[in-house]
Amino acid sequence: MNYVSRQTLERLPVYLRFLKSQCIDGPINTSAKTIAEALSLTEIQVRKDLAAISDGGKPRIGYITKDLINDLEDFLGYKDVNDAIIVGAGKLGKALMSYKGFAEYGLNIVAGFDTSDEAVGTDEEGKPIFHLDRMEELCRRMNIRIGIITAPADYAQRIADKMVKSGILAIWNFAPAHLEVPDNVLVRNENMAASLAVLSKHLSEQLMNS
Amino acid sequence: MNYVSRQTLERLPVYLRFLKSQCIDGPINTSAKTIAEALSLTEIQVRKDLAAISDGGKPRIGYITKDLINDLEDFLGYKDVNDAIIVGAGKLGKALMSYKGFAEYGLNIVAGFDTSDEAVGTDEEGKPIFHLDRMEELCRRMNIRIGIITAPADYAQRIADKMVKSGILAIWNFAPAHLEVPDNVLVRNENMAASLAVLSKHLSEQLMNS
DNA sequence: TAGATTGTTAATCGATTAACAATC
DNA sequence: TAGATTGTTAATCGATTAACAATC
């Protein structure tokens, strides 16, 4: 499979979502132009992205929708299930635990962990919340590779350390904290502050010009 | 104030967070090197970013921590309060409504909206949840400019349209949907599927090489 | 065949990095 | 003064866009 840049990789699920959304009564073929227009991208970019992960479309016809969906799902690994655990069973943590949509992406959150007496021992949509002390053992036993951090920032680094020790290789970090991890471990920050900065900058520019 | 690229803008809150985290007993001065090492960035990048938004540091000394914090907060508008509303009072919506941390960024969620009988009429951390029909009137009356979408994808575009009609200029979209809005309105997608794609790609690469 | 659409090669654009002069 | 650290100008790098040949 070809090399795919970070930017391309992030667009692929967007293409897939669009293709699936039109699939029910959908056209047999879809052109790069159609996709580009629907998603406010350029035709050329869509073609280049798709060239990297599909066997290619046919001139004058476009891509076979069904095959393209298939290729995207293959490449993104949506058909394999990745088990994950989540640390921090506050409101955000519980919201993610009970979100049904992740199944579509092959993400399966198997359990939550916390240290508070209130949370530990309860369930969230049938998913158990254990004490943090039991995390390593469960991760090892179940071969968990993905960890999600929804704990307060002060604990984030310690949790990340614990995750690394438990064999986790990819961390999805919702805490406003920079995490230090070994090279083979990837951290993806869901950086709310960055998003807010972009929103609020746009706002101040808009209001300035009026 | 200088032009600041999207990438720089997204890093600024990270610098600010670091500076604040060390401020209590913190050093009077902070160098670009210190910041870069703490955040796994390069010195040069930090300097260039900071040059755009501060009066500058002093050779051999670095930046005056207190002033730098001040400049960053000014630039990012953390001292002004931006009121916002949120549509979709499910678990994620409620989690965001009750998150105290947004205050630090100058974001103030004033109310939630939903259509379900269960949610409408209730409170979340003292913030009322109204019926969606009342959104436009409240936005107009309170001059709301920021809207947050935490509703199912199927409703996202209709909600966005309603937000635009209500005078909202910046939309923070958590729904897995592409939104069409006028040019003067900015959409920031919190694209979970993109994050998962990056995590899962890393994982498959790591597991392949072992 | 004609023409729409693909994939690729080259050009452009913008962000990051390097080199270096300025200065406390 | 010497040397650490700043800010700026130039070089590099990578992603996007444009141009165009290939083809169904």
Side-chain angles (χ1 to χ4, degrees), chain B residues 52-99:
Chain B
I53 57 97
S54 80
D55 300 334
K58 297 230 168 77
R60 217 166 129 64
I61 293 169
Y63 303 84
I64 301 169
T65 314
K66 194 166 57 64
D67 290 358
L68 194 51
I69 289 176
N70 218 47
D71 289 342
L72 281 163
E73 285 182 336
D74 262 358
F75 185 87
L76 292 170
Y78 283 6
K79 289 165 178 173
D80 321 321
V81 174
N82 283 317
D83 287 334
I85 54 101
I86 191 163
V87 176
K91 283 190 175 159
L92 179 58
K94 286 180 177 169
L96 297 181
M97 283 178 81
S98 63
Y99 180 56

Side-chain angles (χ1 to χ4, degrees), chain A residues 112-160:
Chain A
F113 294 89
D114 206 300
T115 51
S116 93
D117 288 341
E118 285 149 46
V120 173
T122 64
D123 274 25
E124 181 68 24
E125 297 279 328
K127 289 167 186 174
I129 296 168
F130 299 122
H131 193 279
L132 187 56
D133 291 341
R134 296 183 54 189
M135 188 185 88
E136 183 165 355
E137 177 255 325
L138 184 134
C139 287
R140 291 279 175 207
R141 185 158 48 78
M142 293 193 66
N143 235 289
I144 305 284
R145 302 301 189 181
I146 296 182
I148 306 171
I149 300 180
T150 49
D154 294 348
Y155 301 96
Q157 183 62 59
R158 263 173 289 167
I159 292 166

Side-chain angles (χ1 to χ4, degrees), chain A residues 31-32 47-48 56-57 59-60 63:
Chain A
S31 73
R47 259 206 295 278
K48 204 159 205 185
R60 215 163 131 66
Y63 303 84

Side-chain angles (χ1 to χ4, degrees), chain B residues 41-63:
Chain B
L41 299 168
T42 72
E43 233 182 302
I44 306 164
Q45 186 164 62
V46 174
R47 261 206 293 280
K48 204 160 207 186
D49 286 343
L50 295 181
I53 57 97
S54 80
D55 300 334
K58 297 230 168 77
R60 217 166 129 64
I61 293 169
Y63 303 84

Side-chain angles (χ1 to χ4, degrees), chain A residues 9 12 50 60 69 80 90 102 105 109 140 166 173 185 194:
Chain A
L9 180 54
L12 295 179
L50 295 181
R60 215 163 131 66
I69 289 176
D80 321 321
F102 289 142
Y105 311 130
I109 301 175
R140 291 279 175 207
S166 307
N173 178 36
V185 177

Side-chain angles (χ1 to χ4, degrees), chain A residues 11-24:
Chain A
R11 279 189 296 269
L12 295 179
V14 183
Y15 300 146
L16 179 55
R17 183 211 296 152
F18 167 71
L19 292 169
K20 275 175 152 178
S21 77
Q22 62 156 203
C23 192
I24 308 147

